[in-house]
Amino acid sequence: MPSIDHLGIAVKSLAAARSFYEKLGLRLEAEETVEHEKVRVAMFPVGESRIELLEATADDSAIARFIAKRGEGLHHIAVRVPDLGAAVARLKQQGTRFVNESIQTGAGGHRYVFVHPASAGGVLVELVEDKQP
């Protein structure tokens, strides 16, 4: 059954944003750089979901462009699916557009793909699956 995996929030500074979430009593689960996305991420568990803070590591990254255009804020909603390949195939058959056509591996070794906002009511949706054993 699909569930909310995380909410991705674009920030200018991980340090400043982390401070706020730590003041709320959340504990940092992991922080890492995803080189191919040109982003540094920090994950905070919240119940069965997580908050993912995203800081650009290059001016030409998707996060840097997002912040330049819209400012800091909610970037995407990630939905965890049990079988990412099957979900992508099913959605493609139904005409869903994707930002990137191939499944990638990102933070924490999770596999993911982004659904284009034009196919998701104006929201950038990330489909994510746990890393393979």
Side-chain angles (χ1 to χ4, degrees):
M1 173 63 77
S3 61
I4 297 294
D5 184 79
H6 66 267
L7 302 176
I9 301 171
V11 299
K12 292 178 183 175
S13 165
L14 271 187
R18 277 183 56 180
S19 175
F20 170 75
Y21 289 97
E22 289 167 344
K23 288 175 187 174
L24 285 176
L26 300 179
R27 289 202 131 125
L28 179 68
E29 175 183 70
E31 186 171 316
E32 68 182 279
T33 299
V34 180
E35 296 292 339
H36 68 275
E37 292 286 353
K38 301 177 184 173
V39 68
R40 182 126 184 101
V41 301
M43 288 289 208
F44 289 88
V46 181
E48 294 184 20
S49 299
R50 298 174 294 166
I51 292 175
E52 176 185 51
L53 303 178
L54 303 142
E55 176 189 72
T57 59
D59 291 339
D60 64 343
S61 73
I63 296 302
R65 290 191 306 269
F66 178 89
I67 289 173
K69 187 174 182 180
R70 295 183 180 93
E72 294 179 291
L74 184 63
H75 179 260
H76 67 271
I77 297 171
V79 176
R80 179 183 304 246
V81 296
D83 184 340
L84 184 56
V88 169
R90 184 176 60 256
L91 289 170
K92 282 184 178 180
Q93 279 185 329
Q94 297 169 358
T96 300
R97 287 179 54 197
F98 289 86
V99 173
N100 47 335
E101 289 297 316
S102 62
I103 294 172
Q104 306 280 327
T105 301
H110 292 82
R111 293 168 16 107
Y112 71 95
V113 66
F114 282 98
V115 175
H116 196 283
S119 290
V123 176
L124 181 61
V125 174
E126 178 183 12
L127 302 178
V128 64
E129 176 184 80
D130 280 335
K131 61 184 171 185
Q132 300 301 305

